[in-house]
Amino acid sequence: RELTEKMNEAAEELQFERAADLRDRLRAIQKLGTRQHVVAGAFAELDAIAFVQGQTRACVCVLHYGGGSLQSKEYTLFHLTGGDPAEVLSAFVKQYYAQRGAAPKTVLLSHEIEDADAAGEYLSSLAGRKAELAVPQRGERRVLTRLAEKNAYEEIERREKQSERRHKSLELLQSVTGMAALPLRLEAYDISNFAGQDTVGSMIVFVEGQPKKSDYRKFRIACAANGQDDYASMREMLTRRVQRYADGDEKFAPLPDVFLIDGGMTHAAVAEKVCAAFGLHIPIFGMVKDDRHRTRALTTAEGHEIDLHADPAVFALIGQIQEETHR
């Protein structure tokens, strides 16, 4: 767990060589762990499933055993607390194996579930033979469900710490830019073309510090059909984006807490004019690149630059957003 935290921190701070070294060490330890959790031949094909709840979310962990050793792990997280384990696990088991279309010989659970007999019959129909559904109380089987519980707790802890780091980065971004509200939804825009033709615009969205790809949009730019004009292209893209929101199109709702425009003060000024035409007052910043094509600063439409190097967390966040926009 400590290595994972250090690896994530190094990656966020763009210390990629250190992150890679930590990754390799982590993989070596994980291989040792896999060898240690070998089960008896009688349990050579089984799944151990556990449901646990943390402070802000719950998790179901599935450990897949095959050939007598741990093959893989799967996690499903829920934003809920206080759920009945019997009810949650019952619904999960049915949906999980229905999606897989198959079931192992044995499924071990951390808690009793509702309609256990019916669930066992369903698993048997998927497995094409008698499948065992059990809630072990002692012995080696109980060790496996406890291990699933341990993995679920650690995954919740890891996710909660990641969420805390992302939230802290947003707070720092708000502080350095002077935004009145925490920028929970960020939208970033860029224009691209192929040899001056086939101009397109990209709109990417980050919500609470991570990409929300279902909200991404790509625009075919009409105004640049006769030649390259990045400013006119940006104006068209942003106008179409805001107009779709104004027209009540749910695919373009809500508006962001901040617009990030790939380019300098002139690009930011174009965005400000578009927002002003719609009567909107949304913070707008241009993303200024260095000679290595990485964002080194944010700029306002008036040319006030905000250096990002002073805060590695903000630098990493904006860098990630810019890379995703370019991609």
Side-chain angles (χ1 to χ4, degrees), residues 264-270 272-273 284-286 298-305:
M265 57 180 288
T266 309
H267 284 88
V270 168
E272 280 205 347
K273 290 179 181 177
I284 297 168
F285 298 97
L298 296 177
T299 181
T300 65
E302 293 76 31
H304 172 63
E305 285 198 3

Side-chain angles (χ1 to χ4, degrees), residues 163-174:
S163 178
E164 288 173 5
R165 284 199 295 269
R166 288 194 298 266
H167 193 83
K168 183 63 176 179
S169 296
L170 294 176
E171 289 180 343
L172 291 169
L173 177 60
Q174 178 188 6

Side-chain angles (χ1 to χ4, degrees), residues 26 69 91 101 107 109 112 127 130 136 201 237 243 275 291 318 327:
L26 185 62
S69 64
V107 176
L109 303 175
E112 297 284 353
K130 178 65 176 177
M237 175 166 58
Q243 186 65 58
C275 286
D291 54 5
I318 299 300
R327 184 187 69 76

